[in-house]
Amino acid sequence: QVQLVESGGGLVQTGGSLRLSCAHSGRTFSTNAIAWFRQAPGKERWFVAGIDWSGHSTYYTDSVKGRFTISRDNAKNTVDLQMNSLKPEDTAVYYCNVVDPAWRPTDPSYWGQGTQVTVSS
């Protein structure tokens, strides 16, 4: 089974930056679209950003457009999320997952441990 390990979270002030990384253990990484999701306390998990297998196509939820950038390195089996101009409402646990062409998790029952992002006001 594919394993996904998220890292890079932390505590940052409003306006600050963080770079998250998603490490994928499977041989099929270079053929999979990957997306980042986030879950705030008491709320559902929501899509944040996605990138296709080639890295040429990306998609963002409106609230992060212009602030977040998703990228991938197929040689290293990683997908990064550069987050700039962070806001308190970005506070959440961030997860990555393999997704289908509609940016939905291919295995909704599997999630990694996530990485906590906290933005102080």
Side-chain angles (χ1 to χ4, degrees), residues 18-70:
L18 284 173
R19 189 175 184 90
L20 306 184
S21 187
C22 169
H24 179 291
S25 67
R27 297 180 181 178
T28 59
F29 174 79
S30 62
T31 63
N32 289 335
I34 303 291
W36 283 94
F37 299 80
R38 66 186 179 188
Q39 186 170 21
K43 297 187 177 181
E44 295 183 354
R45 188 177 288 127
W46 288 100
F47 172 90
V48 176
I51 189 166
D52 75 343
W53 68 271
S54 70
H56 293 151
S57 178
T58 58
Y59 186 75
Y60 300 90
T61 192
D62 286 346
S63 62
V64 308
K65 285 180 181 177
R67 300 189 298 122
F68 291 12
T69 303
I70 189 170

Side-chain angles (χ1 to χ4, degrees), residues 66-103:
R67 300 189 298 122
F68 291 12
T69 303
I70 189 170
S71 62
R72 68 188 295 157
D73 186 334
N74 285 348
K76 296 181 179 179
N77 279 20
T78 58
V79 172
D80 289 354
L81 185 67
Q82 177 66 43
M83 306 188 297
N84 299 328
S85 303
L86 283 162
K87 305 175 181 180
E89 50 264 44
D90 295 318
T91 295
V93 179
Y94 284 70
Y95 303 86
C96 60
N97 214 333
V98 178
V99 292
D100 65 17
W103 307 114

